[in-house]
Amino acid sequence: MSDIFNVVLVVLVVNLAAFAAFWRDKNLARAGGRRIPEKTLLWLAFAGGSLGALSAQHLFRHKTRKEPFRSRLYTIVIVHAVAIAVLAIWLIAPQWASGLLDALSRPAVS
């Protein structure tokens, strides 16, 4: 149980960091200060902070029209959603996951 708690804690911290980075970048943009690089914002999202990044983007109306940043962030969110769905299936119904892996590893019958 401790491992699950640690994973949840890390994901929460990364999401808070992504949220804070978007908030800080928005404030820097308003003040005309030196900005946080887009690459850094996207890496925070990719490292597990996609929900924090997406929430901050919408809440602060920050980088909502900027392409390709927006598309890259949405791609990261989709990748994370698929990964969570696969993990949930693996944990809830491991026989489905192993059956799917077996079916994919078999050579095609001609």
Side-chain angles (χ1 to χ4, degrees), residues 87-107:
L87 180 62
I89 290 170
W90 187 273
L91 293 174
I92 293 168
Q95 68 277 11
W96 291 357
S98 62
L100 180 60
L101 289 174
D102 289 343
L104 293 174
S105 64
R106 287 189 206 127

Side-chain angles (χ1 to χ4, degrees), residues 37-52:
E38 288 183 354
K39 186 186 338 182
T40 302
L41 296 173
L42 289 172
W43 271 109
L44 280 168
F46 185 73
S50 59
L51 291 180

Side-chain angles (χ1 to χ4, degrees), residues 26-106:
K26 178 68 174 190
N27 288 336
L28 290 169
R30 286 181 179 154
R34 187 163 183 227
R35 307 280 301 279
I36 297 173
E38 288 183 354
K39 186 186 338 182
T40 302
L41 296 173
L42 289 172
W43 271 109
L44 280 168
F46 185 73
S50 59
L51 291 180
L54 193 63
S55 298
Q57 182 189 39
H58 289 285
L59 182 65
F60 304 130
R61 294 188 187 108
H62 188 50
K63 296 193 177 287
T64 55
R65 293 182 287 164
K66 176 113 187 202
E67 288 294 347
F69 182 88
R70 183 177 65 155
S71 297
R72 289 176 180 159
L73 180 58
Y74 288 161
T75 300
I76 291 169
V77 171
I78 290 167
V79 167
H80 283 177
V82 169
I84 289 168
V86 168
L87 180 62
I89 290 170
W90 187 273
L91 293 174
I92 293 168
Q95 68 277 11
W96 291 357
S98 62
L100 180 60
L101 289 174
D102 289 343
L104 293 174
S105 64
R106 287 189 206 127

